[in-house]
Amino acid sequence: MSIFIEKPPEKLIDEDGTRIDGRKPDEMRPVRIEVGILENADGSAYIEWGGNRILAAVYGPRELHPKHLAQPDKAVLRCRYNMAPFSTSTRKKPGPDRRSIELSKVIREALEPSLFLHEFPGTTIDVFVEVLRSDAGTRVAGTTAASVALADAGIPMRGLVSACTVGRVGDVLVLDVGHEEDQWGDADLALSMLVDYNEITLLQMDGTLTPQQLKQAIGMAMDACKKIHELQKQAIREKYLKIVREIAGETST
Amino acid sequence: MSIFIEKPPEKLIDEDGTRIDGRKPDEMRPVRIEVGILENADGSAYIEWGGNRILAAVYGPRELHPKHLAQPDKAVLRCRYNMAPFSTSTRKKPGPDRRSIELSKVIREALEPSLFLHEFPGTTIDVFVEVLRSDAGTRVAGTTAASVALADAGIPMRGLVSACTVGRVGDVLVLDVGHEEDQWGDADLALSMLVDYNEITLLQMDGTLTPQQLKQAIGMAMDACKKIHELQKQAIREKYLKIVREIAGETST
Amino acid sequence: MSIFIEKPPEKLIDEDGTRIDGRKPDEMRPVRIEVGILENADGSAYIEWGGNRILAAVYGPRELHPKHLAQPDKAVLRCRYNMAPFSTSTRKKPGPDRRSIELSKVIREALEPSLFLHEFPGTTIDVFVEVLRSDAGTRVAGTTAASVALADAGIPMRGLVSACTVGRVGDVLVLDVGHEEDQWGDADLALSMLVDYNEITLLQMDGTLTPQQLKQAIGMAMDACKKIHELQKQAIREKYLKIVREIAGETST
Amino acid sequence: MRPAHRRVISLLKKEYIKTIIKEDKIREDGRHPLDYRKIEIKARGGFTKGEGEAWVRLGRTQVLAGVKIDVGDPYPDSPDTGVLITHEEPLPLASPTFEPGPPDENAIELARVVDRGIRSAEAVDLKQLVIPHPTDPGRNKVYLIFLDIHILDHDGNLQDASALAGIAALMTTVIPEVKMTEDGKLEANLEKLKPLPTKAIPVSVTIAKIGDTLIVDPNLTEEEVADSRITITVDDHNRVCAIQMLGGSFTPAELELAIDIATVKSRELIEKVKAAVKEAEANA
Amino acid sequence: MRPAHRRVISLLKKEYIKTIIKEDKIREDGRHPLDYRKIEIKARGGFTKGEGEAWVRLGRTQVLAGVKIDVGDPYPDSPDTGVLITHEEPLPLASPTFEPGPPDENAIELARVVDRGIRSAEAVDLKQLVIPHPTDPGRNKVYLIFLDIHILDHDGNLQDASALAGIAALMTTVIPEVKMTEDGKLEANLEKLKPLPTKAIPVSVTIAKIGDTLIVDPNLTEEEVADSRITITVDDHNRVCAIQMLGGSFTPAELELAIDIATVKSRELIEKVKAAVKEAEANA
Amino acid sequence: MRPAHRRVISLLKKEYIKTIIKEDKIREDGRHPLDYRKIEIKARGGFTKGEGEAWVRLGRTQVLAGVKIDVGDPYPDSPDTGVLITHEEPLPLASPTFEPGPPDENAIELARVVDRGIRSAEAVDLKQLVIPHPTDPGRNKVYLIFLDIHILDHDGNLQDASALAGIAALMTTVIPEVKMTEDGKLEANLEKLKPLPTKAIPVSVTIAKIGDTLIVDPNLTEEEVADSRITITVDDHNRVCAIQMLGGSFTPAELELAIDIATVKSRELIEKVKAAVKEAEANA
C-alpha cells in the first residue's frame, strides 16, 4: 500500500493569475541542459526542468540485431523512455508499462522527422531517455534532451526538436504544466517542433479544451519551443567551447 | 472478485427426458455457419452454435518465421484457440492459459489428418479460432468452423472435419452438451471426425462413463457429426453460389 | 499462506561442542554418490548429502542454438541449477528465481576452470543440477555431483571439482552447515576447489566472520574437499567396475 | 506462396494515389477527401457475453467491443471513483501483419487514445460507480468496467472504428445492482439491471496528410502512403478531449485545418452512435 | 559432436519396427503388443520433501511425483471444496529435446490429462479438505494440494508413468491437522498427521496404433513411428474417467478395441499402485 | 558504423596490460596495483525522488542509488522485521553491451552481493522498522525499504561502486512516521521524518588477478584481461560480511592476500562514505 497519496490543493491558481508554484500563466520553470555527461554513449545530455531530472543518451548508428529488423533503405530509430523506480513519490515497479511503451513511441516519432535516417541504411540508432526524477512534463523534457543527445552523437539532422506543454486550469491556459496542475488541472497538451522549419512533430492532448482554446494552446507551446530551442543550442555550444578550450589548453602546455 | 457466480439448478433433466434447455436427449442446438466474412484472411468462417459465437480464419500457406521451424517435407500447421475477455460470464484475462494451450493443440491435431500438408513444404498454415461468446462446446464448434475456413482458403483437403459433444446426466446420454450440463453434468465427450472416411481425429472425455456408455456415446457423436457435415457443405456451397451470382450479375450488367 | 513456518531452536550447539544434529564441529554429514543413473543424458550423477537429494546431468558437447551464441574458440558451458517445487518445506514456485539464477552462474564458474573447453569450439556443454530434496548446502552438493556427471559424460577435464561449506555458530566454526545452522547460524561459507591443483574455484560467504575466522574457515573447507574428492573418485570407479563386470559377464555367457 | 507479415504496395500505386489526391482531390476508392467510408454500428447484437457490446464496420475494417463488469477495490488515490480499464487486442486473424502475443506499441497506443477520449470527456460517470459500505467508507468497493476492443479485420483507421465501438458498447451497457452488507459481503442482483451512467459521447476523427491534402478516415493503403496522421477526439459538447499525432509532422496551418475538420466530422459520427444506441434500445 | 534437440530414427529402423509388428506381432524390444515394460513404483522413498511422493520407472522412463500441502482460499464458485493443482515439469536433463523454460503444450497436456483422471474419478476427496471457520462459513479456508510431476528420463509413454506416479504420491500423502480460530488465524499441528482422503485409483493406459496393430505402453521409438495414440484412464471402479487422443486418427472399430484393452490392462496397473502403497505403509 | 554489443580489445593491448603489471607493477592508467580510481560520492543530490539517494563516480564508472519507502506485510517467517529489497538495473545507456529488459544474471548477482553485505552487517536495523498494531501483533505492518541501484556509465568495478552508492543512500535516507489505528488503518505523517536506523557501514573491495598480481578496483579493460576476480565486503567493525568470487580460480595464498588487502582498503572506502554522509547532513 502506498503511504504517499497526495491530496488535491484548494485551488491551483489565484484570482490574479498566480499559479500554485508562484509562476505567472505564461512563465516556464527553470531549464538547464548539460551535454555529454556519459562516457560510453555516443552522445548524451542531462536536463533539469523544474523538478525533472532526466538523462538522454544515444548509441549508433550501429548494427541491428536481429538482422531481419534492419531496413535496407534507412536506419531504424529506436527509443526507450523509462522511469526509474525512485523517480516518483510512490516507487514505480521497474520495467516497461503501458504508459512508457506509448511514450517511447511518441518520443521516437517526435524525433524521427529531424533525422537523415536514409544516410545509414541497415543500421539502428538507439535513443534512451531515463527519468531519474519526475515532476510533470517528462515527455517534453525527455524529447528536448534526446534531440540534444542526438546532436552530441553527431547524427546528421535537419534541426533540433524542442518541446513544451500547455495546460488549462479553469479558464486559464498555463505554460509548462507543473506537478499539481498535471494531477488536478483540466487539460494538458504536449507539443514538439522543429523550430527552424515551423513543423510540429508531436502533439498530444488530454482533458478538455474548446477548439478555440486548443488553437491558442498550440500557439503558446510553439512560442515556448523557441525559447527551449535557444537553450538547446547554447548547451551544445558550451560543450564544444569546453572541448576547444581543452584542446587549446593541451596545445599550450 | 466475481459477481457472476452461478448456482447449480435443481435438476438437469426431467423424468420424461426433457433437458434443462427444453431439448430431447438426442437433440442438437441450432447451428448456423457463414463462410468468408473476413477480408484479410485467406479463408474464414463464422459459426453460431447454441449460444456460441466463434470466428475461425486461416492464413497460408505462407512463409514461416523463424525459418528453422519450417519443415523440409511439409507445411507446418499451427493453431491458436483463444477466448475473448467478453466471451464468458466473468471476464477472462486476455492471453493464453493452460486450457487454451491444450485446446489449440487438440484442435490442430483434429484438423491435421484432413490436410495434404506435404504439398506445401517449408511453409506454415495458420488457423485462428476466436471465441466471441462461449456456451459449452467451443472446441467442437471451433473445430467445425476451422475446417470450413480451411476449405474457404483453398487448402487441399481429404474432407471436412466435423465435430460434436455428448454428455451424461445421471443415466442419460445427452447430445450436444449445453451450458448447465457442461457445468454440472456427469461426463463430457468431444469427438471430431472425417465423415467421408469414418475416421475419428479427436476424442476427449472427462467425468465418468462405463465402457458400455462410452461406446454408445461415441456412436451418438458420430451420428451428429454427419449432420454437422451437411451444414458445413451447405455453407460452403452458399458462398460459392453467392460469388457465382455476383459474377453473373456483373457480366449481365 | 504457508503452514510450514519453522521456529528457531533454543541453541544450535552445546557447551561440549555437540551440534543440534548431534555432529561434532568438524564432522560432515554422510555423503553418497552414484554415477550414471539416467539413460538419456550423456553423463549423470545422483548425490545424497545429509538430507539433500540432487540429480546432476550433462548433455554435450552439442550444437548450440541460436548459433550466434556459439564461440569460435571454445565450447560454451551453460548451467541450470533448479529446485523442485517439492524440495522445500513450503512449496517452491516452479521456474527460475533470483537465487537460482545466481547459483546457476556460481556453479558454472566453479566448474569452468576444470574443463578443457577449447577442445570443442562452436559447441555447448549443458549442465543441469536438479535439487529434489534440499537440506542446506545444495550448491556445494550440486557442484560436487555436476563435476562427477561431467566426468561421466567423458568431458576432458583437468580434475574433479569438490566442494563443501563451513559455518559459524557463535564462536565455533562448524563444517558442512546443517539445516538449522543454515537458517539461524552466524555465517556461511561455500567453497569449491580443484583438489589436485590446490585451486579454489568458488568462494561465497555471508553472515560475518573476522578475517582470522575467515582464513580458518577456508582451511577447514579445503580439508573437507579432499574427503569429498575421494568419494567422487570412488563413485566413478564403481561405475566403471560395474560396466567392466557387465561386459565380462556378457563375454563369459 | 505469399510472404509472411508483409504488405507491399507498389511504388507506382503509391504515386498514383498521391497524384489523384493532389490533382483531382479524389481518393483511390472514389471518396472525397473529407468522406468517411460506410459506417455500420451494431450494438447489443448478442455476439458476446458482455454487459455491453458493439460491432463496428468502417468500410472493410471490423472491430468488436465488449464490456464486462466486475467489482473490486478503488485506486487508493481516488477512493470515490469506479475503475475503467480499456484494452485493445489486434487479433492475428485480422491482418497478416498481426502476430499472436501481448499487445504491441500500436495496440497499446490505440487503447490509450480511446481511453483518454472517454476519460477526458467523462463519458462514463465513474463517480456513480461506488458500492458503499454501510458504515465504513474506507471499505467501499467500486464497479470495474472492462472495455475490450478486438480488431477483427484491419483495413485502416482502427482508431476511429475503435472509438466508435468503445463508446457504443459503453452506452448500451447494463450493470447489475450490487450491495454491500455490514460485514463486507457483496450481494449482486443479476436480475436488477440499470444502464451504465454516461455523460458524453466522444468520437475520434483521424486525419491523414498526403502531400498537401488532408483526408479523413484513411484506409490501410492510404495510411501507408500518408506523410503523417493525427487523431482528434471531439465529444457531443463540442469539446476536444484527446489528440494524438501518429508520425510525421504538420505545419501550424495544417493543424488548425485539422481541428476544424474534426469538429465538423465528429458530428456525423456522434449521430451514428446515437442511432445505434437507439436501435439497440428499441430491440431490448 | 552430436546435433542438438534432434532424435533421428533411420527410415530403415522405422520400416523394421512396422514390419515385425505387422507380421510377427512382436515389438523391437521383444514385447507382445499388449505388454507393458517393467514397472517399478517407489512411494515415500525420501527423495523429496513432499508430504507424499512416488518415483516411477517404466522401462527406461523415469518420473518423480511430489505432493506439497498448503492452505488457502477456495475457488469462489466451489467454497466447500479443497483445491488440487497438477503440474508437469519436463526437466531438461530428461531428454535432449527438452529445453529449460515454462512447460510447453505437451507438458501442459500431460498434466491436464493426469489431472482430469484424478478429478473425474474423485480420487482425492476434496470435500473433506475444508478448514472451517468456527462461526462464519464465508471465511472458510481449504487445503491446497500441489501435485508436481517431474520427468527425469524420457523413453516414451510419459502419460502412463505420470498417472501412476501421481496417484501413488497422492495415496501416500499425509496432511497436517489445521484449525482456524475465531479471528481467522490458522494453527497447524505439524505433528498430527492424517492420510489425504482418497476414494478411487485412476490409472491411464496409452495405446499406440502402428499400421493395423494396437500396442500398449509405446516406448519413445514406437511413439515416433506410431500413426496415432490414445490415452484412456480407467479407475478401480471400472469407470472410464478420461480420454485423450494424441494425433492421427482411429476407426470406430479400433476405438472399441482400445477401450477393451484399457479396461483389461488398467487392472494390472491398479494392482501395482496398491502394492506400492502397501509397501510404503509397511515401511512407515 | 560500429558493431553492436561488442567490445574488442586487441590482443596486443591485452599483452601490454599484462606485461606492465607483471614487470613494472603499474597499470595502463598509471595506477599502483592497490590504488582505487578517483571516488566521488554525492548523497542527497536531489537527482531522484527517493527518500535517500547517492550518486557515485568511480573513475568513469557512474551509478545512482535511490531508496524508496513503503509499508506492507512482513515476511511470514520474520514478523518482527522490516523488509529490504535491493535491485540493480544496468541501464542500456550505460554500455553498448547492456540491452533493455529484465536484469540478467550479472545484474542479479550484483544486487544480491550488495544486498548480502548490507544484510550480513545488519547495516539497516530492520528490527526497528515495525509498525505495530495497537493491540494485535499479528496485524503488525513493517516498512519496506526498496534500494534501487542504476548503472549509468560502465567502466568496470560496478560491484564496489554499487556497494558505495547503496550504503550511502541508505545512511542518508529519512522515513516518515507511520502509525496504525485499532482498525488497521495507516496514518503517515509525511512532515515528521526520522533517519533510517543504521548500524554498520559495509563496503566492498573487488580484487582482480592478472597473471600473478592482485589489483584492486579493476577498470573495464582490466576486468576483461583478468584471470579471476573476487569481491570481499568488510564493514566498519572490521568484519568480513560477504564474499563472491567472479570466475577463474585463486590459490589459498592469493586468497589470504586478498583478504588482507580488503581489510586495509575497506577503511579508505568507509571514510569516503562517512564524509559523503556528513556533507549531505551539513547541507540538509
Side-chain angles (χ1 to χ4, degrees), chain A residues 174-210:
Chain A
V174 293
L175 186 64
D176 183 21
V177 173
H179 174 71
E180 292 86 355
E181 292 160 350
D182 183 44
Q183 295 285 302
W184 298 285
D186 300 303
D188 197 347
L189 175 146
L191 178 148
S192 82
M193 67 185 298
L194 273 159
V195 168
D196 294 337
Y197 300 83
N198 214 28
E199 279 178 29
I200 288 135
T201 64
L202 176 161
L203 183 62
Q204 278 191 301
M205 192 216 109
D206 63 359
T208 58
L209 292 173
T210 66

Side-chain angles (χ1 to χ4, degrees), chain F residues 76-220:
Chain F
D77 57 350
S78 48
D80 302 326
T81 321
V83 171
L84 170 70
I85 295 162
T86 304
H87 276 282
E88 185 103 20
E89 186 94 10
L91 297 184
L93 57 63
S95 163
T97 64
F98 290 174
E99 309 246 12
D104 66 358
E105 60 171 26
N106 295 307
I108 287 171
E109 183 181 48
L110 256 173
R112 284 175 62 84
V113 175
V114 171
D115 186 82
R116 274 206 283 277
I118 293 166
R119 209 172 286 278
S120 294
E122 296 181 62
V124 178
D125 190 355
L126 296 173
K127 295 282 177 202
Q128 287 191 45
L129 295 178
V130 179
I131 299 162
H133 184 270
T135 53
D136 180 359
R139 294 169 69 187
N140 284 357
K141 297 280 178 184
V142 298
Y143 286 92
L144 315 177
I145 314 296
F146 292 95
L147 171 59
D148 285 285
I149 305 174
H150 275 34
I151 304 169
L152 305 180
D153 220 351
H154 175 19
D155 189 32
N157 199 5
L158 298 173
Q159 195 67 68
D160 295 356
S162 298
L164 287 171
I167 190 62
L170 289 169
M171 290 176 73
T172 53
T173 294
V174 289
I175 59 177
E177 199 177 277
V178 180
K179 289 200 167 149
M180 208 191 314
T181 62
E182 184 67 35
D183 60 347
K185 290 213 175 101
L186 293 169
E187 285 164 2
N189 187 339
L190 299 182
E191 308 302 308
K192 204 163 174 183
L193 301 172
K194 55 183 180 184
L196 183 71
T198 57
K199 296 200 298 186
I201 309 175
V203 296
S204 80
V205 176
T206 294
I207 294 159
K209 177 172 131 185
I210 298 183
D212 296 327
T213 313
L214 299 188
I215 61 169
V216 301
D217 180 31
N219 65 25
L220 187 52

Side-chain angles (χ1 to χ4, degrees), chain C residues 1-2 4 37-40 42 46 53 57 59 62-63 80 85-86 88-89 91 123 128 130 132-134, chain E residues 1-2 4 46-50 62 66 68-71 91-95 146 148 150 153-154 186:
Chain C
M1 73 216 65
S2 174
F4 295 105
I37 80 152
L38 299 179
E39 291 283 341
N40 279 307
D42 295 320
Y46 169 70
R53 301 285 179 272
Y59 281 90
R62 58 179 175 179
E63 273 179 29
R80 187 181 95 135
F86 43 66
T88 47
S89 292
R91 178 177 186 263
T123 71
F128 301 108
E130 298 290 342
L132 308 178
R133 191 176 195 283
S134 74
Chain E
M1 190 187 68
R2 30 175 251 191
F47 299 109
T48 79
K49 262 194 182 161
Q62 296 186 61
K68 288 301 304 178
I69 301 296
D70 211 336
V71 169
L91 297 184
L93 56 65
S95 164
F146 292 95
D148 285 284
H150 274 35
D153 219 352
H154 174 19
L186 292 170

Side-chain angles (χ1 to χ4, degrees), chain E residues 176-194:
Chain E
E177 199 178 275
V178 180
K179 290 203 165 148
M180 208 191 314
T181 62
E182 183 67 37
D183 60 347
K185 290 212 176 103
L186 292 170
E187 285 164 2
N189 186 341
L190 298 183
E191 308 302 309
K192 205 164 173 183
L193 300 172
K194 54 182 180 183

Side-chain angles (χ1 to χ4, degrees), chain C:
Chain C
M1 73 216 65
S2 174
I3 54 173
F4 295 105
I5 293 168
E6 296 172 78
K7 283 197 185 117
E10 261 180 63
K11 56 181 175 182
L12 288 169
I13 195 160
D14 264 356
E15 303 78 48
D16 68 350
T18 305
R19 293 153 72 179
I20 189 164
D21 57 5
R23 284 185 288 154
K24 294 282 155 207
D26 61 349
E27 190 182 341
M28 294 183 63
R29 295 174 292 180
V31 177
R32 195 175 74 80
I33 306 172
E34 205 174 318
V35 182
I37 80 152
L38 299 179
E39 291 283 341
N40 279 307
D42 295 320
S44 62
Y46 169 70
I47 192 165
E48 296 187 354
W49 182 323
N52 293 300
R53 301 285 179 272
I54 299 173
L55 272 176
V58 171
Y59 281 90
R62 58 179 175 179
E63 273 179 29
L64 178 53
H65 290 284
K67 295 235 180 221
H68 73 265
L69 296 178
Q71 302 223 354
D73 59 338
K74 62 170 185 168
V76 171
L77 181 64
R78 299 191 297 188
C79 177
R80 187 181 95 135
Y81 164 96
N82 183 51
M83 292 185 91
F86 43 66
S87 66
T88 47
S89 292
T90 299
R91 178 177 186 263
K92 204 209 142 281
K93 243 187 86 187
D97 55 17
R98 293 168 64 86
R99 177 180 170 276
S100 70
I101 291 169
E102 186 199 344
L103 291 195
S104 296
K105 176 176 188 288
V106 159
I107 294 175
R108 187 186 74 224
E109 291 177 350
L111 297 169
E112 195 152 6
S114 74
L115 303 175
F116 292 109
L117 296 177
H118 290 280
E119 292 193 9
F120 305 102
T123 71
T124 183
I125 295 168
D126 286 313
V127 175
F128 301 108
V129 175
E130 298 290 342
V131 179
L132 308 178
R133 191 176 195 283
S134 74
D135 186 39
T138 58
R139 85 191 63 184
V140 295
T143 302
T144 298
S147 188
V148 172
L150 283 161
D152 185 42
I155 310 292
M157 53 171 60
R158 297 167 63 210
L160 290 162
V161 176
S162 316
C164 195
T165 65
V166 171
R168 178 171 71 84
V169 173
D171 291 335
V172 186
L173 295 182
V174 293
L175 186 64
D176 183 20
V177 173
H179 175 69
E180 293 85 356
E181 292 160 350
D182 183 46
Q183 296 284 303
W184 298 285
D186 300 303
D188 198 347
L189 175 145
L191 179 147
S192 82
M193 68 185 298
L194 273 159
V195 168
D196 293 337
Y197 301 83
N198 214 28
E199 278 179 29
I200 289 136
T201 64
L202 177 161
L203 184 61
Q204 279 191 300
M205 193 218 107
D206 62 359
T208 57
L209 292 174
T210 65
Q212 198 45 46
Q213 285 170 331
L214 171 58
K215 290 175 187 174
Q216 228 181 304
I218 291 173
M220 280 174 76
M222 287 174 61
D223 287 344
C225 284
K226 282 162 202 150
K227 291 180 197 161
I228 295 295
H229 191 228
E230 289 308 312
L231 295 174
Q232 291 173 299
K233 287 191 290 185
Q234 191 188 322
I236 294 169
R237 233 173 359 241
E238 268 165 27
K239 159 140 186 218
Y240 281 97
L241 284 176
K242 207 177 125 197
I243 292 176
V244 168
R245 262 183 247 118
E246 281 171 9
I247 294 172
E250 279 171 14
T251 316
S252 68
T253 320

